[in-house]
Amino acid sequence: LELALNITDQRMELCITDNGKGFNPNATASSGNGLANMRERVAELGGTFQLESQPNHGATLRFVVPLRPSP
């Protein structure tokens, strides 16, 4: 498992990668709410969520959220 966090004045990017068994994201779309919930919560913050995975090749989740300046 690898975690990478990059924060600038304008955005936060979190990338989570594993070298596990992976999966077909299209085949699991209807089997649960986890991925849909992640997309929805990041979208509520004005950000983006990306998922890359293939069977037998692990998975990568990338969250990018804009940061607002402090008042």
Side-chain angles (χ1 to χ4, degrees), residues 15-29 35 38-39 49-62:
C15 187
I16 304 168
T17 303
D18 75 18
N19 61 353
K21 63 181 182 175
F23 59 96
N24 178 344
N26 298 322
T28 62
L35 295 174
M38 284 189 258
R39 283 187 204 290
F49 168 77
Q50 292 178 305
L51 167 65
E52 297 174 13
S53 185
Q54 294 180 33
N56 302 313
H57 292 300
T60 298
L61 304 171
R62 180 172 283 115

Side-chain angles (χ1 to χ4, degrees), residues 4-71:
L5 178 63
N6 183 22
I7 299 174
T8 66
D9 291 341
Q10 297 160 4
R11 71 181 197 162
M12 180 210 65
E13 181 175 347
L14 174 64
C15 187
I16 304 168
T17 303
D18 75 18
N19 61 353
K21 63 181 182 175
F23 59 96
N24 178 344
N26 298 322
T28 62
S30 64
S31 67
N33 294 323
L35 295 174
N37 286 341
M38 284 189 258
R39 283 187 204 290
E40 187 175 311
R41 290 177 182 180
V42 171
E44 289 173 358
L45 296 171
T48 59
F49 168 77
Q50 292 178 305
L51 167 65
E52 297 174 13
S53 185
Q54 294 180 33
N56 302 313
H57 292 300
T60 298
L61 304 171
R62 180 172 283 115
F63 306 86
V64 179
V65 178
L67 299 177
R68 297 182 177 101
S70 299

